[in-house]
Amino acid sequence: MKVLSHSELEEPKQVHPFRQTLSAYINLMKPHVTVLLLGTTVAAMAIAGRGLPNLGLVLATLVGGAMAAGSANAINCYIDRDIDQIMGRTQRRSLPSGRVQPVPALIFGVGLGVVSFIVLSLFVNLLSAGLAMGAILFYVFVYTMGLKRNSAQNIVIGGAAGSVPVLVGWAAVTNNVSLSAIWLFAIIFYWTPPHFWALSLLIKKDYEKAHVPMLPVVLGDSETRRQIFFYSLLLFAVTMMLFVMHTMSYLYLIGAIILGGILIYMSIRLITDQSKNWARTIFWYSNCYLAAIFALMVIDRILF
């Protein structure tokens, strides 16, 4: 007769219903995406102010920005719940898994957007609030409802929404949007296609099943690899503009050349090596790249 071990005799731990519900609603906000957006927001604030502004302003901007990003993501989850049910990568999200019902999810998303606007208006400024609300509306109506299921350029144009947080951070400090802020916006805008197209090469079958016209589905893997290389070159050129405009010093220039050169090298290897290894590497590196280049900008502005 088998003797049960101590671990086998233990009852499974019960998760409190409130914690389960809270976790499900936080999942709607896509926190892994939101954290990256908030990081670029804080970086833009430090770049604009040549150092980190007062803690109160930073916290208010982060709270309002997190709510804005969470609002856009939650509404996106509501609209895309049918295709999220089909795609393996998204089946465990709160709506497809049944942990949150559609109508409460939509109310949650809209409510976050409203509170975000109020927080940013009262504790930051009206410009940052307007920019955040504009990003929500663009992400929901232009990207999710207009482009995602209808155009292979969905990620290219839709990437504008994810680029707005740097404008929010810049406006929070300066109450304006300067040309330097526009170039920060452009860096994220041109970073987005290589990042997401690398992912789309890895999960192409998911997009095919869900009938989402991502570039590999519509034009094939080879063209996608070429476009990743092309946009990596564009991204490299855009990052140089901050030095050309004398916004950044030689420290930034050297770092940007190294970081961008690595991405371009990887995109060349992606073309020559038909396996998925380089797509996986580019997807991972692109996250590191974005964090590193914004950290480099912050250091450059503080030191020089």
Side-chain angles (χ1 to χ4, degrees):
M1 186 170 80
K2 179 183 177 183
V3 178
L4 296 178
S5 67
H6 177 71
S7 60
E8 290 174 313
L9 289 170
E10 287 183 345
E11 293 184 2
K13 293 181 179 179
Q14 297 295 319
V15 180
H16 194 280
F18 173 76
R19 294 178 69 177
Q20 284 184 319
T21 302
L22 179 63
S23 175
Y25 276 93
I26 290 175
N27 179 264
L28 287 174
M29 299 172 68
K30 302 181 185 177
H32 60 290
V33 176
T34 302
V35 167
L36 187 60
L37 298 178
L38 295 180
T40 60
T41 302
V42 174
M45 295 179 77
I47 294 165
R50 289 187 176 273
L52 202 61
N54 72 77
L55 185 59
L57 180 63
V58 173
L59 288 176
T61 306
L62 288 180
V63 169
M67 288 182 172
S71 169
N73 288 328
I75 298 171
N76 169 268
C77 286
Y78 168 80
I79 296 169
D80 282 349
R81 63 191 185 278
D82 56 335
I83 59 176
D84 283 350
Q85 183 69 56
I86 297 170
M87 297 174 63
R89 187 175 67 95
T90 56
Q91 286 175 346
R92 288 179 292 178
R93 288 178 178 173
S94 297
L95 280 167
S97 64
R99 288 181 290 155
V100 178
Q101 295 304 305
V103 172
L106 178 61
I107 294 172
F108 176 69
V110 172
L112 279 176
V114 172
V115 176
S116 166
F117 186 84
I118 293 172
V119 168
L120 291 173
S121 296
L122 293 179
F123 300 105
V124 184
N125 55 50
L126 190 59
L127 177 58
S128 63
L131 288 167
M133 181 57 69
I136 295 172
L137 296 176
F138 187 92
Y139 188 76
V140 171
F141 291 103
V142 177
Y143 171 67
T144 304
M145 298 179 68
L147 294 170
K148 185 172 182 178
R149 307 191 194 203
N150 298 300
S151 172
Q153 294 298 305
N154 46 19
I155 284 299
V156 178
I157 302 170
S163 308
V164 171
V166 292
L167 301 182
V168 173
W170 191 282
V173 174
T174 65
N175 202 23
N176 65 58
V177 175
S178 69
L179 184 58
S180 294
I182 297 298
W183 283 116
L184 296 183
F185 173 96
I187 287 172
I188 301 179
F189 182 82
Y190 284 104
W191 165 87
T192 302
H195 175 71
F196 279 100
W197 282 337
L199 174 63
S200 69
L201 286 170
L202 298 173
I203 58 170
K204 177 182 175 180
K205 290 182 180 179
D206 265 0
Y207 287 121
E208 286 177 333
K209 285 193 298 183
H211 302 292
V212 176
M214 291 296 287
L215 196 63
V217 177
V218 177
L219 297 180
D221 290 8
S222 295
E223 180 59 28
T224 302
R225 294 167 191 267
R226 285 191 290 270
Q227 288 295 317
I228 288 174
F229 171 68
F230 175 67
Y231 272 90
S232 296
L233 290 176
L234 285 176
L235 175 60
F236 184 87
V238 168
T239 59
M240 294 298 105
M241 291 305 300
L242 289 173
F243 175 77
V244 172
M245 292 173 55
H246 304 292
T247 302
M248 298 290 166
S249 74
Y250 282 98
L251 173 66
Y252 167 81
L253 176 65
I254 295 169
I257 289 173
I258 293 171
L259 291 170
I262 293 172
L263 183 61
I264 291 170
Y265 168 77
M266 289 180 174
S267 66
I268 293 171
R269 291 302 305 270
L270 181 67
I271 293 174
T272 59
D273 184 345
Q274 296 301 305
S275 71
K276 291 185 177 182
N277 292 335
W278 284 103
R280 189 173 291 106
T281 302
I282 287 176
F283 179 70
W284 170 83
Y285 175 74
S286 59
N287 279 316
C288 300
Y289 170 91
L290 192 65
I293 199 163
F294 270 87
L296 183 63
M297 286 185 238
V298 172
I299 294 169
D300 187 280
R301 289 281 281 184
I302 291 175
L303 293 181
F304 301 101

